[in-house]
Amino acid sequence: MSKIETVLGPISPDKLGITLLHEHIFLYNQPILYGDPEELAKDPFWNEPISLENLGDIRCGKLNRDNLVLDDEVTVTEEIKDYIKLGGKSIVENTNLGLGPDPVKLKSVAEKIDGNIIATTGFYKQSQHPPWVKNKTIDELSEFMLKEIYEGIGETNIKAGSIGECACTEPVPYHPQEEKILRAACRTQKQSNVGFTFHPSIYDSKTGKSVKVGEKYIDLIEQEGANKEKFYLSHADLSLPDLKYHRKLLDRGITLSYDSFGSEIRMEDTAFMGGLEMPSDMKRIEAIAILCNEGYEKQLVMSHDVGSKMRWRRKGGMGYCFVLAHVIKALKMRGVTQRQIDTMLIETPKRILTF
């Protein structure tokens, strides 16, 4: 039987409903992404608790440890309930090894909501791989992922339902250790038929420019014989406004994830995207409307990539609600139909997650 695996067990695909394919619910190791801890400790903002007094500075790019750790089960449960009140039903949690997965707490949250949480297996950026990864072969890493899909994550019996955010950095398009992970993810997908996603290289520190290397990942997927229809490229919207590039990727048969809605960062923070400009939500909306008008809606999905406390509604952000509360209306004003919206939010996630 076809199924979708949630942290509470398998469900029928028709129970999935509106789905956000790229979110974080618990996130523990995010500060490691942002440089030398000793240097960070010198910044007065780094060790302050996030508050109304410093929230404006944090939104402008000041790094803050408290902001970058998601560990409050009570708050995140309420944040997800807000999403469900707007009609949302399911969330894919992309926190994998390197970012600090917590399947037990995910299950606890899922038991308190009228919705579904799908956990993921996989590995984040090379700098955050567990030390043992270096000595593992591609097939051994695939066996690890298959175990998390078929038996359970870590020492739990809570199963992963997708392969989430296998991340790439430098050298572009991936570090050799990251290439191992991508190939292992492809082999895992081929054997299990689960959905999978990669976090692409976004920035080249040597040139100071953004990079557009999605076709390199598609080449790798094709080499490994994985199913492109089960793949979505995360953070595709960070390469806007280049729709010519996006069309090239879509025409090769993959899905693009516009998953940074609600994150219009003021780029004082040079640790993220090298200080390059974050596309605005309006640019994301306009791009999706154009691509829907051209018939690409079956290959587009939307999400928020909530990865910091300042993104929560209870800290002045939009949480997991921005797409449903605001983006849908704006898309309809630009001619996107309800059928196309349902395709992006329900039917395409269902296709990707069912195995």
Side-chain angles (χ1 to χ4, degrees), residues 47-118:
N47 285 312
E48 292 181 357
I50 189 171
S51 66
L52 287 176
E53 286 73 21
N54 61 23
L55 186 57
D57 290 295
I58 292 170
R59 291 192 186 283
C60 286
K62 290 293 185 181
L63 296 177
N64 176 271
R65 180 188 298 273
D66 183 34
N67 179 48
L68 297 170
V69 177
L70 304 182
D71 59 358
D72 185 340
E73 182 177 337
V74 173
T75 298
V76 79
T77 300
E78 294 306 309
E79 294 282 325
I80 295 173
K81 286 181 177 179
D82 291 344
Y83 160 67
I84 291 170
K85 287 177 184 176
L86 292 174
K89 189 65 176 178
S90 300
I91 292 178
V92 177
E93 152 73 298
N94 271 271
T95 299
N96 56 22
L97 279 177
L99 291 175
D102 197 331
V104 174
K105 289 180 77 170
L106 283 180
K107 182 177 180 180
S108 178
V109 172
E111 290 170 340
K112 298 179 179 69
I113 63 171
D114 182 21
N116 307 304
I117 296 174
I118 294 94

Side-chain angles (χ1 to χ4, degrees), residues 129 138 167-168 174-185 220 223-224:
H129 289 174
I138 295 171
C168 304
Y174 38 60
H175 185 281
Q177 291 297 318
E178 294 165 350
E179 180 182 359
K180 282 200 317 185
I181 298 300
L182 301 194
R183 292 190 181 276
L220 184 146
Q223 291 167 15
E224 292 291 341

